[in-house]
């Protein structure tokens, strides 16, 4: 019986993620198309602002904090499902800056090809930041 419940939950999760693939790709593209090289305060604030805006619309997200980082930009802290931050809390760490200087997007624009997506910072780690948002929704 336990395996059947796990299988049903896994299928429900798979369906949820499949239904939202386009939404995830759209958010990922928006993040990638905001150039945010390391130390670029404007780019950092823009990416964090977008992620904060999207996170505020997720049921279960109790708190969204934009934390200033002098000479860098901003960090984002979300509290979800356990707003007290007590037992059962989960810490997910990521970053929104890239090694790519401004202008890289012109040379390497967003593209989807052969079931893969490409763009500056896509793998490290902008796609993962949008994936966290999708996971919170799930």
């Amino acid at each position: 019986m336990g395996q059947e419940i796990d299988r049903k939950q896994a299928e429900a999760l798979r369906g949820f993620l499949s239904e939202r693939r386009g939404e995830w790709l759209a958010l990922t593209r928006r993040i990638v198309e905001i150039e945010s090289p390391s130390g670029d305060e404007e780019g950092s604030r823009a990416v964090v602002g977008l992620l904060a805006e999207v996170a505020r619309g997720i049921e279960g997200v109790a708190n969204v904090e934009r934390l200033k980082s002098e000479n860098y930009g901003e960090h984002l802290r979300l509290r979800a499902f356990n707003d007290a931050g007590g037992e059962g809390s989960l810490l997910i760490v990521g970053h929104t800056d890239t090694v790519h200087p401004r202008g890289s997007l012109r040379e390497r624009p967003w593209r989807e090809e052969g079931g893969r997506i490409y763009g500056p910072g896509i793998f490290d780690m902008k796609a993962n930041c949008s994936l966290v948002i999708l996971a919170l929704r799930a």
Side-chain angles (χ1 to χ4, degrees), residues 45-100:
R45 282 192 301 271
V47 174
V48 168
L50 173 57
L51 291 170
E53 175 189 322
V54 174
R56 283 188 184 95
I58 298 173
E59 185 178 338
V61 172
N63 187 287
V64 177
E65 292 176 84
R66 294 175 69 167
L67 308 169
K68 291 182 181 183
S69 178
E70 191 172 327
N71 299 319
Y72 177 76
E74 291 184 340
H75 299 288
L76 181 63
R77 180 170 42 204
L78 307 176
R79 295 187 191 272
F81 314 115
N82 185 347
D83 59 358
E87 190 174 327
S89 293
L90 175 66
L91 176 64
I92 302 171
V93 179
H95 62 88
T96 59
D97 65 323
T98 73
V99 298
H100 305 280

Side-chain angles (χ1 to χ4, degrees), residues 1 6 8 14 21-23 27-28 33 36-37 39 44 52 61 65 70 72 83 85 93 104 108-109:
M1 176 131 176
D6 291 345
K8 286 180 182 178
R14 182 178 183 187
R21 182 177 186 274
E23 176 185 320
L27 177 59
T28 302
E33 290 183 341
S36 56
S44 172
V61 172
E65 292 176 84
E70 191 172 327
Y72 177 76
D83 59 358
V93 179
S104 295
R108 299 178 54 213

Side-chain angles (χ1 to χ4, degrees), residues 98-116:
T98 73
V99 298
H100 305 280
R102 281 193 176 269
S104 295
L105 196 56
R106 280 190 305 273
E107 298 166 16
R108 299 178 54 213
W110 168 275
R111 75 182 199 281
E112 297 179 46
E113 188 177 291
R116 295 179 182 216

